Amino acid sequence: MNTPKKILVCVTQQKTCERLIKKAAKLKDSPEDELFVIHVAKNEWNFLDNIKEGEALEYLFDISKTVGANLTVLRSDSIVKTISDFVHDNRINYVILGESPNDHKENKFAEELKSQTKNVEIIVIPQQEF
């Protein structure tokens, strides 16, 4: 018997992250597989006062529910550490990320996350699939 997959999707406050959630849902092979969706906001980000960002998170929450996942929103100034702690605490074995836009290629988010999470497959979904 196979061990159930535990898949984590990392989202920003953009509706385009819907594709990441749907892509992750396709990785589920059995009803025992679990899907988690997480958004980590820096402490100084006030997304609840920003109508567009609040709407986007509500939209992603609804999409998450349709694929049987819960959307967790956490606050932290150390986004990579917060996600790696979540991965460890929930025994995640797959992490789905969206590729950074071309103007953010210096952002080494995926590499930092890989260095802090062992025995986890990190899947970066290319920008053109958005």
Side-chain angles (χ1 to χ4, degrees):
M1 184 171 171
N2 288 342
T3 304
K5 289 181 185 174
K6 292 193 173 194
I7 306 161
L8 175 65
V9 184
C10 298
V11 298
T12 61
Q13 66 281 11
Q14 298 172 344
K15 289 184 178 181
T16 55
C17 290
E18 170 186 3
R19 293 182 189 258
L20 298 177
I21 296 167
K22 289 184 173 178
K23 194 87 155 172
K26 291 179 182 176
L27 291 175
K28 290 174 67 175
D29 294 324
S30 76
E32 289 79 35
D33 292 346
E34 292 182 72
L35 185 57
F36 302 82
V37 180
I38 190 171
H39 172 67
V40 180
K42 288 205 174 204
N43 285 317
E44 71 270 10
W45 293 350
N46 193 354
F47 58 85
L48 294 178
D49 284 341
N50 182 321
I51 292 169
K52 275 199 184 315
E53 290 179 11
E55 283 177 2
L57 281 176
E58 189 171 323
Y59 177 78
L60 294 175
F61 174 78
D62 290 339
I63 296 297
S64 298
K65 282 196 316 192
T66 66
V67 298
N70 287 322
L71 171 62
T72 301
V73 178
L74 300 173
R75 286 194 170 278
S76 174
D77 286 329
S78 180
I79 294 173
V80 172
K81 181 177 183 337
T82 300
I83 293 172
S84 66
D85 288 348
F86 188 93
V87 165
H88 181 262
D89 293 346
N90 291 282
R91 296 189 169 105
I92 302 293
N93 39 25
Y94 295 90
V95 176
I96 309 295
L97 304 173
E99 180 182 51
S100 293
N102 289 335
D103 59 341
H104 291 97
K105 287 296 183 198
E106 72 281 356
N107 182 348
K108 302 290 184 206
F109 184 81
E111 289 83 6
E112 285 180 46
L113 192 56
K114 270 182 194 165
S115 73
Q116 291 192 28
T117 54
K118 304 297 178 211
N119 303 317
V120 175
E121 184 175 342
I122 296 182
I123 302 167
V124 179
I125 306 299
Q127 191 71 25
Q128 61 269 23
E129 290 188 34
F130 272 64

